Amino acid sequence: MSATDEPGAAAAAANGPLSHLDPSGRARMVDVSGKDETVREAIAEVRVVMTPATLALIDTGSVAKGDVLAVARVAGIMAAKRTGELIPLCHPLPVDAVDVDFESEPAEGVLRIRTRARTRARTGVEMEAMTAASVAALTVYDMCKAAEKGIRIEALRLLEKHGGKSGSWTLEDSPS
């Protein structure tokens, strides 16, 4: 088997070795015991796209199930705290802070959800920020599905990460 035939070879060539695979290509949890604990932060974002009328229901607090943004905020925070239980190879982290913020774009029918997660740990908190954004978006869908079945959740992405050996990264730094 050549190097390019090995599992994950294309990604490894572009970004270095895949840390969640052992030399035989089997999944493994990365050993972070030798890393230093540092403050780490990650910011993620997702868009929830709906009709302007449905977004107006959210913005005015008129959704039958209640305060959509308050419930979605709590759901996102809870999800961040349980990320290690949801994602098989993700380390459980002592999440120190999670913020879930919303920005409405009424004319477009877009609700932008931005999350920030912070910890002092041996590994990054990117998955916690992205899980918070995902679950907050799913909660918006769940609470609004009676008003509109065609709501879309789009463009989940990491915007920034800070801390650890690799330092800071922002989406703008990424080759697209």
Side-chain angles (χ1 to χ4, degrees), residues 121-157:
R122 291 185 161 107
T123 190
V125 71
E126 297 93 333
M127 296 308 300
E128 287 72 12
M130 292 179 70
T131 300
S134 298
V135 172
L138 288 167
T139 301
V140 170
Y141 181 90
D142 179 56
M143 293 188 72
C144 297
K145 66 187 176 202
E148 181 181 343
K149 302 267 190 277
I151 295 170
R152 297 185 319 273
I153 297 170
E154 300 179 344
L156 173 66
R157 59 190 180 165

mmCIF file of all heavy atoms in Angstrom, residues 121-157:
data_model
loop_
_atom_site.group_PDB
_atom_site.id
_atom_site.type_symbol
_atom_site.label_atom_id
_atom_site.label_comp_id
_atom_site.label_asym_id
_atom_site.label_seq_id
_atom_site.Cartn_x
_atom_site.Cartn_y
_atom_site.Cartn_z
ATOM 1 N N ALA A 121 -8.162 23.866 29.308
ATOM 2 C CA ALA A 121 -8.033 22.426 29.117
ATOM 3 C C ALA A 121 -6.816 22.115 28.252
ATOM 4 O O ALA A 121 -6.074 23.005 27.850
ATOM 5 C CB ALA A 121 -9.304 21.872 28.472
ATOM 6 N N ARG A 122 -6.662 20.813 27.954
ATOM 7 C CA ARG A 122 -5.536 20.330 27.143
ATOM 8 C C ARG A 122 -5.879 20.216 25.663
ATOM 9 O O ARG A 122 -5.019 19.881 24.857
ATOM 10 C CB ARG A 122 -5.094 18.964 27.663
ATOM 11 C CG ARG A 122 -4.452 19.018 29.010
ATOM 12 C CD ARG A 122 -3.928 17.639 29.399
ATOM 13 N NE ARG A 122 -2.950 17.786 30.456
ATOM 14 C CZ ARG A 122 -3.177 17.456 31.715
ATOM 15 N NH1 ARG A 122 -4.346 16.933 32.046
ATOM 16 N NH2 ARG A 122 -2.254 17.627 32.624
ATOM 17 N N THR A 123 -7.124 20.449 25.332
ATOM 18 C CA THR A 123 -7.545 20.355 23.930
ATOM 19 C C THR A 123 -8.594 21.424 23.646
ATOM 20 O O THR A 123 -9.162 21.993 24.574
ATOM 21 C CB THR A 123 -8.068 18.931 23.608
ATOM 22 O OG1 THR A 123 -8.243 18.803 22.200
ATOM 23 C CG2 THR A 123 -9.356 18.618 24.336
ATOM 24 N N GLY A 124 -8.808 21.689 22.383
ATOM 25 C CA GLY A 124 -9.651 22.799 21.964
ATOM 26 C C GLY A 124 -11.127 22.609 22.243
ATOM 27 O O GLY A 124 -11.600 21.509 22.516
ATOM 28 N N VAL A 125 -11.855 23.700 22.104
ATOM 29 C CA VAL A 125 -13.265 23.747 22.447
ATOM 30 C C VAL A 125 -14.124 24.040 21.200
ATOM 31 O O VAL A 125 -15.275 24.431 21.304
ATOM 32 C CB VAL A 125 -13.456 24.774 23.605
ATOM 33 C CG1 VAL A 125 -13.261 26.193 23.113
ATOM 34 C CG2 VAL A 125 -14.740 24.592 24.334
ATOM 35 N N GLU A 126 -13.551 23.777 20.017
ATOM 36 C CA GLU A 126 -14.265 24.024 18.770
ATOM 37 C C GLU A 126 -15.551 23.204 18.665
ATOM 38 O O GLU A 126 -16.580 23.706 18.225
ATOM 39 C CB GLU A 126 -13.388 23.694 17.552
ATOM 40 C CG GLU A 126 -12.147 24.531 17.420
ATOM 41 C CD GLU A 126 -10.917 23.903 18.073
ATOM 42 O OE1 GLU A 126 -11.061 23.119 19.042
ATOM 43 O OE2 GLU A 126 -9.806 24.204 17.616
ATOM 44 N N MET A 127 -15.478 21.944 19.033
ATOM 45 C CA MET A 127 -16.657 21.084 18.906
ATOM 46 C C MET A 127 -17.777 21.532 19.825
ATOM 47 O O MET A 127 -18.954 21.423 19.476
ATOM 48 C CB MET A 127 -16.289 19.619 19.173
ATOM 49 C CG MET A 127 -15.316 19.046 18.153
ATOM 50 S SD MET A 127 -15.828 19.276 16.427
ATOM 51 C CE MET A 127 -17.373 18.408 16.405
ATOM 52 N N GLU A 128 -17.427 22.069 20.984
ATOM 53 C CA GLU A 128 -18.443 22.573 21.900
ATOM 54 C C GLU A 128 -19.158 23.782 21.316
ATOM 55 O O GLU A 128 -20.389 23.894 21.409
ATOM 56 C CB GLU A 128 -17.817 22.895 23.257
ATOM 57 C CG GLU A 128 -17.450 21.674 24.081
ATOM 58 C CD GLU A 128 -16.253 20.874 23.577
ATOM 59 O OE1 GLU A 128 -15.510 21.356 22.683
ATOM 60 O OE2 GLU A 128 -16.044 19.754 24.067
ATOM 61 N N ALA A 129 -18.405 24.684 20.712
ATOM 62 C CA ALA A 129 -19.021 25.859 20.087
ATOM 63 C C ALA A 129 -19.917 25.447 18.915
ATOM 64 O O ALA A 129 -21.033 25.966 18.756
ATOM 65 C CB ALA A 129 -17.948 26.839 19.616
ATOM 66 N N MET A 130 -19.455 24.499 18.108
ATOM 67 C CA MET A 130 -20.252 24.068 16.959
ATOM 68 C C MET A 130 -21.473 23.255 17.384
ATOM 69 O O MET A 130 -22.547 23.368 16.783
ATOM 70 C CB MET A 130 -19.371 23.293 15.987
ATOM 71 C CG MET A 130 -18.335 24.210 15.337
ATOM 72 S SD MET A 130 -17.241 23.381 14.191
ATOM 73 C CE MET A 130 -18.355 23.017 12.869
ATOM 74 N N THR A 131 -21.335 22.460 18.426
ATOM 75 C CA THR A 131 -22.481 21.704 18.938
ATOM 76 C C THR A 131 -23.525 22.657 19.508
ATOM 77 O O THR A 131 -24.734 22.478 19.288
ATOM 78 C CB THR A 131 -22.026 20.680 19.989
ATOM 79 O OG1 THR A 131 -21.100 19.766 19.373
ATOM 80 C CG2 THR A 131 -23.191 19.903 20.564
ATOM 81 N N ALA A 132 -23.087 23.678 20.228
ATOM 82 C CA ALA A 132 -24.018 24.670 20.765
ATOM 83 C C ALA A 132 -24.804 25.333 19.638
ATOM 84 O O ALA A 132 -26.036 25.477 19.722
ATOM 85 C CB ALA A 132 -23.269 25.720 21.579
ATOM 86 N N ALA A 133 -24.121 25.725 18.574
ATOM 87 C CA ALA A 133 -24.789 26.365 17.439
ATOM 88 C C ALA A 133 -25.784 25.405 16.779
ATOM 89 O O ALA A 133 -26.925 25.790 16.463
ATOM 90 C CB ALA A 133 -23.762 26.862 16.426
ATOM 91 N N SER A 134 -25.369 24.167 16.595
ATOM 92 C CA SER A 134 -26.237 23.165 15.944
ATOM 93 C C SER A 134 -27.509 22.928 16.732
ATOM 94 O O SER A 134 -28.614 22.931 16.176
ATOM 95 C CB SER A 134 -25.501 21.831 15.808
ATOM 96 O OG SER A 134 -24.370 21.947 15.014
ATOM 97 N N VAL A 135 -27.373 22.705 18.019
ATOM 98 C CA VAL A 135 -28.541 22.376 18.838
ATOM 99 C C VAL A 135 -29.438 23.604 19.024
ATOM 100 O O VAL A 135 -30.663 23.481 19.038
ATOM 101 C CB VAL A 135 -28.114 21.733 20.173
ATOM 102 C CG1 VAL A 135 -29.298 21.576 21.119
ATOM 103 C CG2 VAL A 135 -27.464 20.375 19.898
ATOM 104 N N ALA A 136 -28.862 24.770 19.123
ATOM 105 C CA ALA A 136 -29.681 25.983 19.179
ATOM 106 C C ALA A 136 -30.511 26.106 17.899
ATOM 107 O O ALA A 136 -31.712 26.416 17.951
ATOM 108 C CB ALA A 136 -28.810 27.217 19.386
ATOM 109 N N ALA A 137 -29.896 25.843 16.748
ATOM 110 C CA ALA A 137 -30.618 25.913 15.471
ATOM 111 C C ALA A 137 -31.710 24.850 15.395
ATOM 112 O O ALA A 137 -32.833 25.128 14.937
ATOM 113 C CB ALA A 137 -29.642 25.756 14.307
ATOM 114 N N LEU A 138 -31.421 23.644 15.837
ATOM 115 C CA LEU A 138 -32.435 22.580 15.836
ATOM 116 C C LEU A 138 -33.600 22.937 16.762
ATOM 117 O O LEU A 138 -34.758 22.626 16.463
ATOM 118 C CB LEU A 138 -31.808 21.254 16.262
ATOM 119 C CG LEU A 138 -30.877 20.623 15.231
ATOM 120 C CD1 LEU A 138 -30.079 19.490 15.865
ATOM 121 C CD2 LEU A 138 -31.662 20.130 14.024
ATOM 122 N N THR A 139 -33.300 23.604 17.849
ATOM 123 C CA THR A 139 -34.350 24.032 18.775
ATOM 124 C C THR A 139 -35.248 25.082 18.128
ATOM 125 O O THR A 139 -36.475 25.037 18.282
ATOM 126 C CB THR A 139 -33.722 24.551 20.079
ATOM 127 O OG1 THR A 139 -32.939 23.499 20.652
ATOM 128 C CG2 THR A 139 -34.784 25.006 21.065
ATOM 129 N N VAL A 140 -34.649 26.006 17.390
ATOM 130 C CA VAL A 140 -35.453 26.993 16.658
ATOM 131 C C VAL A 140 -36.388 26.259 15.696
ATOM 132 O O VAL A 140 -37.589 26.550 15.635
ATOM 133 C CB VAL A 140 -34.552 28.006 15.909
ATOM 134 C CG1 VAL A 140 -35.373 28.866 14.952
ATOM 135 C CG2 VAL A 140 -33.780 28.870 16.900
ATOM 136 N N TYR A 141 -35.844 25.300 14.955
ATOM 137 C CA TYR A 141 -36.690 24.535 14.023
ATOM 138 C C TYR A 141 -37.834 23.853 14.773
ATOM 139 O O TYR A 141 -38.996 23.939 14.380
ATOM 140 C CB TYR A 141 -35.866 23.494 13.261
ATOM 141 C CG TYR A 141 -36.731 22.720 12.299
ATOM 142 C CD1 TYR A 141 -36.906 23.157 10.995
ATOM 143 C CD2 TYR A 141 -37.424 21.587 12.711
ATOM 144 C CE1 TYR A 141 -37.733 22.475 10.119
ATOM 145 C CE2 TYR A 141 -38.266 20.911 11.856
ATOM 146 C CZ TYR A 141 -38.414 21.351 10.565
ATOM 147 O OH TYR A 141 -39.253 20.676 9.702
ATOM 148 N N ASP A 142 -37.502 23.159 15.856
ATOM 149 C CA ASP A 142 -38.514 22.414 16.604
ATOM 150 C C ASP A 142 -39.627 23.326 17.102
ATOM 151 O O ASP A 142 -40.813 22.986 17.022
ATOM 152 C CB ASP A 142 -37.874 21.689 17.787
ATOM 153 C CG ASP A 142 -38.901 20.917 18.590
ATOM 154 O OD1 ASP A 142 -39.603 20.066 18.004
ATOM 155 O OD2 ASP A 142 -39.020 21.170 19.808
ATOM 156 N N MET A 143 -39.263 24.490 17.592
ATOM 157 C CA MET A 143 -40.264 25.395 18.148
ATOM 158 C C MET A 143 -41.099 26.096 17.082
ATOM 159 O O MET A 143 -42.192 26.580 17.372
ATOM 160 C CB MET A 143 -39.607 26.409 19.072
ATOM 161 C CG MET A 143 -39.045 25.744 20.330
ATOM 162 S SD MET A 143 -38.467 26.920 21.536
ATOM 163 C CE MET A 143 -40.020 27.605 22.131
ATOM 164 N N CYS A 144 -40.584 26.139 15.842
ATOM 165 C CA CYS A 144 -41.270 26.883 14.778
ATOM 166 C C CYS A 144 -41.848 25.997 13.679
ATOM 167 O O CYS A 144 -42.470 26.502 12.747
ATOM 168 C CB CYS A 144 -40.301 27.892 14.154
ATOM 169 S SG CYS A 144 -39.739 29.134 15.323
ATOM 170 N N LYS A 145 -41.679 24.696 13.772
ATOM 171 C CA LYS A 145 -42.108 23.813 12.683
ATOM 172 C C LYS A 145 -43.611 23.843 12.449
ATOM 173 O O LYS A 145 -44.076 23.587 11.343
ATOM 174 C CB LYS A 145 -41.607 22.393 12.898
ATOM 175 C CG LYS A 145 -42.208 21.692 14.090
ATOM 176 C CD LYS A 145 -41.533 20.357 14.339
ATOM 177 C CE LYS A 145 -42.124 19.743 15.605
ATOM 178 N NZ LYS A 145 -41.227 18.777 16.175
ATOM 179 N N ALA A 146 -44.397 24.169 13.460
ATOM 180 C CA ALA A 146 -45.847 24.274 13.253
ATOM 181 C C ALA A 146 -46.180 25.464 12.346
ATOM 182 O O ALA A 146 -47.142 25.413 11.583
ATOM 183 C CB ALA A 146 -46.568 24.410 14.588
ATOM 184 N N ALA A 147 -45.363 26.503 12.415
ATOM 185 C CA ALA A 147 -45.589 27.689 11.578
ATOM 186 C C ALA A 147 -45.024 27.505 10.177
ATOM 187 O O ALA A 147 -45.573 28.041 9.209
ATOM 188 C CB ALA A 147 -44.951 28.923 12.232
ATOM 189 N N GLU A 148 -43.930 26.732 10.069
ATOM 190 C CA GLU A 148 -43.275 26.557 8.759
ATOM 191 C C GLU A 148 -42.430 25.284 8.763
ATOM 192 O O GLU A 148 -41.478 25.160 9.528
ATOM 193 C CB GLU A 148 -42.382 27.770 8.463
ATOM 194 C CG GLU A 148 -41.682 27.672 7.127
ATOM 195 C CD GLU A 148 -40.776 28.856 6.843
ATOM 196 O OE1 GLU A 148 -40.891 29.904 7.500
ATOM 197 O OE2 GLU A 148 -39.932 28.716 5.933
ATOM 198 N N LYS A 149 -42.784 24.371 7.885
ATOM 199 C CA LYS A 149 -42.048 23.103 7.799
ATOM 200 C C LYS A 149 -40.745 23.223 6.999
ATOM 201 O O LYS A 149 -39.841 22.434 7.167
ATOM 202 C CB LYS A 149 -42.921 22.030 7.155
ATOM 203 C CG LYS A 149 -44.210 21.772 7.880
ATOM 204 C CD LYS A 149 -44.083 20.646 8.861
ATOM 205 C CE LYS A 149 -45.422 20.222 9.415
ATOM 206 N NZ LYS A 149 -45.889 21.044 10.524
ATOM 207 N N GLY A 150 -40.652 24.221 6.129
ATOM 208 C CA GLY A 150 -39.515 24.335 5.223
ATOM 209 C C GLY A 150 -38.330 25.118 5.758
ATOM 210 O O GLY A 150 -37.456 25.527 4.986
ATOM 211 N N ILE A 151 -38.249 25.317 7.057
ATOM 212 C CA ILE A 151 -37.095 26.022 7.636
ATOM 213 C C ILE A 151 -35.834 25.228 7.325
ATOM 214 O O ILE A 151 -35.816 24.004 7.398
ATOM 215 C CB ILE A 151 -37.275 26.166 9.173
ATOM 216 C CG1 ILE A 151 -38.477 27.054 9.471
ATOM 217 C CG2 ILE A 151 -36.008 26.699 9.824
ATOM 218 C CD1 ILE A 151 -38.879 27.070 10.947
ATOM 219 N N ARG A 152 -34.772 25.949 6.961
ATOM 220 C CA ARG A 152 -33.488 25.310 6.638
ATOM 221 C C ARG A 152 -32.416 25.748 7.625
ATOM 222 O O ARG A 152 -32.351 26.911 8.021
ATOM 223 C CB ARG A 152 -33.035 25.691 5.231
ATOM 224 C CG ARG A 152 -33.960 25.225 4.150
ATOM 225 C CD ARG A 152 -33.432 25.512 2.748
ATOM 226 N NE ARG A 152 -32.791 26.793 2.544
ATOM 227 C CZ ARG A 152 -33.416 27.930 2.226
ATOM 228 N NH1 ARG A 152 -34.725 27.964 2.125
ATOM 229 N NH2 ARG A 152 -32.731 29.039 2.012
ATOM 230 N N ILE A 153 -31.561 24.809 7.984
ATOM 231 C CA ILE A 153 -30.387 25.094 8.813
ATOM 232 C C ILE A 153 -29.190 24.983 7.881
ATOM 233 O O ILE A 153 -28.985 23.940 7.256
ATOM 234 C CB ILE A 153 -30.295 24.114 9.990
ATOM 235 C CG1 ILE A 153 -31.517 24.289 10.900
ATOM 236 C CG2 ILE A 153 -28.993 24.316 10.757
ATOM 237 C CD1 ILE A 153 -31.665 23.230 11.965
ATOM 238 N N GLU A 154 -28.411 26.072 7.779
ATOM 239 C CA GLU A 154 -27.345 26.130 6.777
ATOM 240 C C GLU A 154 -26.054 26.699 7.351
ATOM 241 O O GLU A 154 -26.076 27.480 8.301
ATOM 242 C CB GLU A 154 -27.752 27.044 5.621
ATOM 243 C CG GLU A 154 -28.997 26.622 4.899
ATOM 244 C CD GLU A 154 -29.376 27.585 3.778
ATOM 245 O OE1 GLU A 154 -28.875 28.723 3.739
ATOM 246 O OE2 GLU A 154 -30.187 27.179 2.939
ATOM 247 N N ALA A 155 -24.977 26.348 6.699
ATOM 248 C CA ALA A 155 -23.679 27.010 6.850
ATOM 249 C C ALA A 155 -23.126 26.972 8.273
ATOM 250 O O ALA A 155 -22.589 27.964 8.757
ATOM 251 C CB ALA A 155 -23.743 28.446 6.328
ATOM 252 N N LEU A 156 -23.230 25.828 8.932
ATOM 253 C CA LEU A 156 -22.554 25.679 10.227
ATOM 254 C C LEU A 156 -21.059 25.747 9.978
ATOM 255 O O LEU A 156 -20.537 25.054 9.097
ATOM 256 C CB LEU A 156 -22.918 24.341 10.869
ATOM 257 C CG LEU A 156 -22.150 24.000 12.149
ATOM 258 C CD1 LEU A 156 -22.503 24.973 13.268
ATOM 259 C CD2 LEU A 156 -22.435 22.565 12.557
ATOM 260 N N ARG A 157 -20.365 26.610 10.742
ATOM 261 C CA ARG A 157 -18.927 26.734 10.529
ATOM 262 C C ARG A 157 -18.236 27.313 11.752
ATOM 263 O O ARG A 157 -18.848 28.037 12.534
ATOM 264 C CB ARG A 157 -18.633 27.597 9.312
ATOM 265 C CG ARG A 157 -19.189 28.998 9.417
ATOM 266 C CD ARG A 157 -19.086 29.717 8.109
ATOM 267 N NE ARG A 157 -19.629 31.063 8.241
ATOM 268 C CZ ARG A 157 -19.423 32.005 7.377
ATOM 269 N NH1 ARG A 157 -18.684 31.782 6.311
ATOM 270 N NH2 ARG A 157 -19.924 33.199 7.555
#
